[in-house]
Amino acid sequence: MRLVVARCSARYTGRLTAHLPLATRLLVVKADGSVLLHSDGGSYKPLNWMSPPCATAVRAPDAEAVERGVTEVWTVQHQKSDDRLEIELHEVAHDSAHDLGVDPGLIKDGVEAHLQELLAAQIELLGAGHTLVRREYMTAIGPVDILARDGAGGTVAVEIKRRGDIDGVEQLTRYLDLLNRDPLLTPVRGVFAAQEIKPQARVLATDRGIGCLVLDYDAMRGVDDVDSRLF
Amino acid sequence: MRLVVARCSARYTGRLTAHLPLATRLLVVKADGSVLLHSDGGSYKPLNWMSPPCATAVRAPDAEAVERGVTEVWTVQHQKSDDRLEIELHEVAHDSAHDLGVDPGLIKDGVEAHLQELLAAQIELLGAGHTLVRREYMTAIGPVDILARDGAGGTVAVEIKRRGDIDGVEQLTRYLDLLNRDPLLTPVRGVFAAQEIKPQARVLATDRGIGCLVLDYDAMRGVDDVDSRLF
DNA sequence: TCATCGATGTCGCGC
DNA sequence: GCGCGACGTCGATGA
């Protein structure tokens, strides 16, 4: 990994065309050839970048560029597309290289898949007498997270989100429309389950006769641990 | 901006829980307090990060941590949420600080707005006899990209996307529902126009009687250039 | 390889 | 500040 702090300007052409006026920035060149151009603020997203696979060609500036104070020109070309990042370097304040080695990567806990798994295992959270039909029930427009049956034998389609937004309600609505066309399933009831359900989503769901279920991840995981210990 | 290259492990708790095993990484501390933790590969997204506003507290490791080789512990706490990033530093290979100043930011040349502009100028792409009513036709739930009239005098609402996804069809459906309540406009036909239309989106659109139009950006721009030269 | 979908999405605009 | 749509979205997963 090479770290360069320099005054520079940049120009990107590819899926769009954009440019960066002259300013001091951090340039990171990773081992895989990818390049990041960071300012001293904002979020984790660089101002400009090139994803791997790509290659950087360094050349001396032409006379006109020298006149403007350019000391070096980097052309970062993507290997599989015509995306290109051209960087003109002026004064270089820092330049160092480091061997980082391979990274074991991030390990995550508690995503939507886990919520689905937990709810499938604790399907009675939908109400007493509920039984699991299957997870990822496939339809023509995508998989329903959980399909269940209630105590009375009615079908229940469950959409699970970490954060219950209006989009999730729309998604579940589409599934319900489709499922209710199937004479073997109809009537299908909908349940929108999430760790947190936004007020607008709750209003929309309620208006459409869709039930809302707030999932307590920690509690569900706790129960799951207890279950695990039983076997 | 502070740049640190060090062997470190990290733990993030917040919207999810995750951890990074011990490895050598780049830590970037920006002027606004945000922290990025980069490996020497992958994309521009850091392995872990904390967005501003946040503050970092540095403390000495406890005896147990010293035993494990930890030399310093950083606790990066978000100011407005309970998101927290805890980093244990081991050997530090590099540590430097740089004053970058304020960045003027990226200047983009749009593609999205351009598509709308081009289709408005080439409205006959909707079919012979079509005329433009107006772009960005305002409704209570947002602007319809293009409102047009077909050869028979019927109203046509057009939703334009670069990538035609199922969400875009939903959006257009909402507009059509609303527009069709207006007795002066109804019946309003829908056209979903995009550079690329996903199969599921096409199925949904067709099912709802919405037409699909694939836009050839380069061809449209070419025509536009020719038009430009004529005037 | 291609398509779909989630994301600690982030970013920017309008209300 | 919130809601909503776009993104050079990226990245994982299943067909």
Side-chain angles (χ1 to χ4, degrees), chain A residues 73-196:
Chain A
V73 180
W74 293 9
T75 302
V76 188
Q77 176 69 53
H78 197 267
Q79 309 280 19
K80 298 196 170 186
S81 70
D82 52 4
D83 282 24
R84 175 189 295 222
L85 181 59
E86 192 139 319
I87 307 169
E88 289 187 340
L89 281 88
H90 293 235
E91 303 85 29
V92 175
H94 173 93
D95 190 345
S96 64
H98 310 272
D99 185 17
L100 267 58
V102 179
D103 200 284
L106 186 71
I107 295 140
K108 293 182 182 182
D109 306 319
V111 280
E112 187 187 321
H114 200 196
L115 276 176
Q116 187 190 116
E117 191 183 318
L118 288 168
L119 183 56
Q122 302 169 41
I123 197 72
E124 69 280 5
L125 285 173
L126 293 176
H130 280 73
T131 53
L132 178 69
V133 175
R134 66 171 303 160
R135 290 166 56 188
E136 302 284 346
Y137 180 86
M138 269 314 290
T139 73
I141 57 169
V144 177
D145 286 340
I146 284 183
L147 203 70
R149 219 164 270 283
D150 62 25
T155 306
V156 183
V158 186
E159 176 64 33
I160 300 170
K161 294 285 175 202
R162 199 171 45 73
R163 284 192 166 167
D165 228 334
I166 213 160
D167 285 357
V169 180
E170 292 286 10
Q171 193 179 338
L172 179 53
T173 304
R174 287 197 297 275
Y175 290 139
L176 290 171
D177 285 349
L178 196 73
L179 294 171
N180 274 312
R181 291 186 199 173
D182 184 341
L184 295 175
L185 291 175
T186 193
V188 182
R189 197 157 50 81
V191 172
F192 189 52
Q195 278 188 277
E196 177 200 354

Side-chain angles (χ1 to χ4, degrees), chain B:
Chain B
M1 178 184 281
R2 182 175 172 197
L3 304 175
V4 177
V5 177
R7 255 162 59 86
C8 62
S9 64
R11 182 167 183 74
Y12 165 77
T13 54
R15 279 165 285 190
L16 60 73
T17 305
H19 73 273
L20 280 173
L22 189 58
T24 305
R25 303 188 177 92
L26 165 68
L27 293 89
V28 179
V29 184
K30 292 195 176 187
D32 57 10
S34 57
V35 177
L36 317 185
L37 229 156
H38 270 282
S39 67
D40 204 353
S43 69
Y44 67 71
K45 190 178 179 177
L47 292 165
N48 249 324
W49 71 94
M50 187 60 67
S51 315
C54 64
T56 300
V58 178
R59 68 169 196 273
D62 60 28
E64 178 272 332
V66 169
E67 195 67 29
R68 285 186 288 110
V70 179
T71 58
E72 208 169 77
V73 179
W74 294 8
T75 302
V76 188
Q77 175 68 54
H78 197 267
Q79 309 281 21
K80 299 197 168 186
S81 72
D82 53 3
D83 281 26
R84 176 188 296 224
L85 181 59
E86 193 139 319
I87 307 169
E88 289 186 340
L89 282 86
H90 292 237
E91 303 86 27
V92 175
H94 173 93
D95 191 344
S96 64
H98 311 273
D99 184 17
L100 267 58
V102 179
D103 201 283
L106 186 69
I107 295 140
K108 290 184 183 180
D109 307 332
V111 170
E112 194 64 34
H114 201 194
L115 272 177
Q116 190 192 110
E117 191 182 319
L118 288 168
L119 182 57
Q122 303 169 41
I123 198 72
E124 69 280 3
L125 285 172
L126 293 176
H130 281 73
T131 53
L132 179 69
V133 175
R134 69 171 302 161
R135 291 165 55 187
E136 301 284 348
Y137 180 87
M138 271 312 292
T139 74
I141 56 171
V144 177
D145 286 340
I146 284 183
L147 202 70
R149 219 164 269 283
D150 63 24
T155 306
V156 183
V158 186
E159 177 65 32
I160 300 172
K161 296 282 177 205
R162 204 172 50 74
R163 290 169 71 177
D165 229 333
I166 214 160
D167 287 354
V169 180
E170 292 289 8
Q171 195 180 336
L172 178 54
T173 302
R174 287 196 296 274
Y175 289 138
L176 289 171
D177 287 349
L178 196 73
L179 293 173
N180 274 310
R181 291 185 200 171
D182 184 343
L184 295 176
L185 291 175
T186 193
V188 182
R189 198 156 52 80
V191 172
F192 190 52
Q195 278 189 279
E196 177 199 356
I197 295 180
K198 295 286 171 67
Q200 286 197 350
R202 183 180 290 273
V203 168
L204 185 63
T206 306
D207 183 61
R208 293 181 176 174
I210 291 170
C212 288
L213 176 64
V214 176
L215 301 174
D216 184 335
Y217 180 62
D218 291 331
M220 290 172 78
R221 198 166 42 178
V223 169
D224 195 55
D225 284 351
V226 171
D227 285 348
S228 304
R229 279 188 219 112
L230 291 176
F231 297 95

